[in-house]
Amino acid sequence: MHAALLRQQLAAFLSPAELPDDDAPFLLDQRKRYTSTDCVVVQPASVENVKKTVRFCAQHRIAITPQGGNTGLVGGSVAHGGIVLNLGKLNRIRHINLADNAITVDAGCILQNVQTAAAEHGRFFPLSLASEGSCQIGGNIACNAGGLNVLRYGTMRDLVLGLEVVLPNGELVSHLHPLHKNTTGYELKHLFIGSEGTLGIITGATLKLFAPPQTTETAWVGLDNVQAAISLLSNIKNHFAERLCSFELVSRFALELSAAHSRLAEPLHAEWHILLELTDSLPRHDLQDELAEFLCQNGGEHSIIAQNDQQRRDLWTLRENISAAQRTLGTSIKHDIAVPIAHTAAFIEQCGRDLTAQYPDIQLVVFGHLGDGSLHYNTFFPNELGDSVYRREEAVNATVYRHVLHNHGTIAAEHGIGTLKKSWLPQVRTADEIALMRAIKSQLDPNHLFNPNKLLPD
């Protein structure tokens, strides 16, 4: 159906405010690699209007591309025809249940607003991402977001107690009561978490809350190699147990980029760096001394511990600004990968050596969440910093993913598959697994209208 006619028919049951005049902010993806074409943007202001829109599209065989904050990095919220269904107007904090340590929210709630609402009630929602000021809860769930605190609190899959989802036939499945135990058959919410909008449209969620940290200690450690960082991680997990909240790996080059961009001094000079954080829900005046003593005894003597909130913020700024600093260089070929923690050093050494042999001028920006084995492994070509570098992408990916698979890893740790990586899915999933995924998709969405041409290989 032509976009103008489609918009006219949608206007029969949607208000003018739900059909934005300016589609441009919703059409271009975060990395400016993909642009939606020949489509209509819809922003339903109620769950009922999401259902009406889906029923209309099911009746007329019109594709629907769900979209949250449009902060994805793999082209998962880009449409070619049909409608882009943006959830931004579904943004209420519905309910906070302190007895169950739970918060129920609309899918379009911005992550930072959920964090703030929890804090106002003396609770803590631990999901923390660089895009938390703009990404939405529904998108976080659809991609099973991870972020900085996975080591202690898990991914989004671990933080969801219940979901409200509109199915491809327009029917609503809602289980938002915060049950902590439920063994009545298949746990259907896990079908939708990480499904990238291909099975249903998440309209609401009930999420776990936690006691806020009363004590936080943050340290920056310089190390000679990644294996030393892995040894430190193993020892610190054994000593501090659940108090270890974050354990971030930063390469020398990544730190140099971020320090220059952030206009902050490098904390230490070393080949590899770790930013780690301990938290405790009780006041612990001795935790800093205990951490300092531990580092001295376990290979972390080349380290600093933040002495105040400003120093802590500066250390985290250096970590969080790496991606922004990369953008000042130009276009990069990015990899969002994970390997078992024990294989991280071997992967970095082997893959780096292989890429450098093939491309002597290549620059590697390596950083990420060593505490859970996921890395941002990005490549630059100093003499080709525009989009023309994507002509090298297939060959670079082949090398990187070969080493990822050799080390029993995955090509998508946090950002999902989307459009960018779907051709690689058969490399990390067996034919039987993909057949099962297709069967689930066909059962729930027989006309393949929900986020078509995403996730599953052609």
Side-chain angles (χ1 to χ4, degrees):
M1 187 181 298
H2 191 273
L5 177 59
L6 175 56
R7 184 183 179 89
Q8 181 182 352
Q9 295 197 7
L10 290 167
F13 59 89
L14 295 175
S15 70
E18 294 172 300
L19 291 164
D21 293 327
D22 182 11
D23 288 353
F26 310 97
L27 301 182
L28 185 63
D29 83 314
Q30 174 80 2
R31 293 186 65 195
K32 299 179 172 57
R33 289 196 67 176
Y34 301 99
T35 303
S36 294
T37 57
D38 194 30
C39 60
V40 174
V41 176
V42 175
Q43 283 192 296
S46 67
V47 174
E48 184 59 34
N49 280 358
V50 175
K51 292 165 60 179
K52 288 180 180 178
T53 302
V54 172
R55 286 171 179 160
F56 171 84
C57 290
Q59 178 183 354
H60 296 280
R61 301 288 181 92
I62 296 167
I64 299 177
T65 300
Q67 185 182 88
N70 198 23
T71 60
L73 301 178
V74 293
S77 61
V78 175
H80 298 291
I83 70 167
V84 172
L85 197 152
N86 182 279
L87 278 298
K89 290 187 182 295
L90 292 181
N91 54 21
R92 295 175 303 143
I93 303 291
R94 298 191 193 179
H95 180 60
I96 294 181
N97 178 339
L98 298 183
D100 284 290
N101 263 349
I103 183 170
T104 301
V105 303
D106 283 351
C109 278
I110 291 173
L111 171 56
Q112 195 169 70
N113 294 343
V114 175
Q115 296 167 338
T116 299
E120 289 172 349
H121 287 77
R123 296 296 189 269
F124 175 59
F125 183 63
L127 186 69
S128 180
L129 309 170
S131 60
E132 60 194 29
S134 54
C135 66
Q136 296 174 11
I137 288 296
N140 299 150
I141 296 170
C143 293
N144 188 29
L148 300 174
N149 295 325
V150 170
L151 183 55
R152 179 166 185 174
Y153 298 99
T155 66
M156 200 62 169
R157 189 179 297 279
D158 302 293
L159 300 174
V160 174
L161 284 170
L163 283 184
E164 178 184 82
V165 182
V166 177
L167 299 177
N169 62 3
E171 296 302 313
L172 186 71
V173 174
S174 183
H175 292 283
L176 291 175
H177 297 295
L179 288 174
H180 300 275
K181 293 181 179 178
N182 184 3
T183 57
T184 54
Y186 305 133
E187 186 55 272
L188 297 179
K189 69 173 181 279
H190 288 298
L191 274 179
F192 302 102
I193 302 172
S195 69
E196 302 186 35
T198 60
L199 301 179
I201 297 172
I202 297 165
T203 54
T206 298
L207 309 169
K208 294 180 184 178
L209 299 179
F210 297 84
Q214 296 295 316
T215 303
T216 300
E217 297 296 344
T218 307
W220 191 284
V221 184
L223 296 164
D224 293 333
N225 54 67
V226 178
Q227 190 56 53
I230 294 171
S231 297
L232 178 63
L233 173 62
S234 178
N235 290 336
I236 202 169
K237 284 195 295 188
N238 187 53
H239 185 89
F240 289 100
E242 73 281 355
R243 291 180 183 85
L244 181 60
C245 192
S246 301
F247 197 90
E248 299 292 296
L249 179 71
V250 179
S251 68
R252 177 180 55 80
F253 184 50
L255 175 60
E256 290 172 354
L257 283 177
S258 183
H261 176 79
S262 307
R263 299 183 180 179
L264 291 170
E266 297 177 27
L268 300 167
H269 296 289
E271 284 301 306
W272 292 95
H273 301 262
I274 291 295
L275 174 59
L276 66 89
E277 193 157 271
L278 306 178
T279 61
D280 199 302
S281 58
L282 297 175
R284 282 280 311 273
H285 302 295
D286 61 335
L287 190 58
Q288 184 176 117
D289 290 340
E290 186 178 348
L291 175 58
E293 182 179 357
F294 171 87
L295 290 173
C296 285
Q297 295 176 354
N298 289 271
E301 60 275 2
H302 191 41
S303 61
I304 62 171
I305 298 176
Q307 298 301 304
N308 51 54
D309 285 343
Q310 185 59 55
Q311 287 185 5
R312 176 182 178 270
R313 286 194 294 270
D314 286 348
L315 294 178
W316 275 108
T317 294
L318 288 169
R319 163 60 184 87
E320 292 173 343
N321 275 0
I322 295 173
S323 293
Q326 288 180 129
R327 287 194 288 272
T328 65
L329 285 184
T331 304
S332 65
I333 300 172
K334 296 178 181 289
H335 305 94
D336 158 48
I337 59 174
V339 297
I341 296 168
H343 289 249
T344 308
F347 164 78
I348 291 174
E349 193 278 326
Q350 294 162 2
C351 191
R353 185 178 60 226
D354 203 350
L355 284 171
T356 302
Q358 294 177 62
Y359 310 103
D361 63 334
I362 200 169
Q363 290 178 319
L364 304 177
V365 180
V366 183
F367 64 102
H369 319 301
L370 183 60
D372 58 48
S374 64
L375 297 175
H376 302 294
Y377 191 90
N378 302 332
T379 62
F380 283 91
F381 293 87
N383 299 318
E384 192 171 7
L385 295 176
D387 287 353
S388 64
V389 76
Y390 289 135
R391 69 186 176 84
R392 301 178 184 264
E393 187 171 38
E394 185 174 353
V396 171
N397 286 350
T399 297
V400 173
Y401 293 157
R402 174 165 53 82
H403 286 285
V404 167
L405 298 174
H406 176 73
N407 284 283
H408 313 291
T410 177
I411 64 169
E414 295 188 309
H415 301 156
I417 295 294
T419 298
L420 184 64
K421 299 182 181 180
K422 65 178 184 175
S423 64
W424 286 94
L425 194 66
Q427 304 298 318
V428 291
R429 295 290 197 177
T430 67
D432 286 342
E433 287 176 313
I434 292 175
L436 181 57
M437 292 182 194
R438 291 191 190 280
I440 295 169
K441 169 73 170 172
S442 295
Q443 182 64 34
L444 289 175
D445 183 17
N447 296 316
H448 292 248
L449 299 178
F450 269 30
N451 218 3
N453 303 313
K454 313 290 170 43
L455 181 57
L456 294 172
D458 296 333

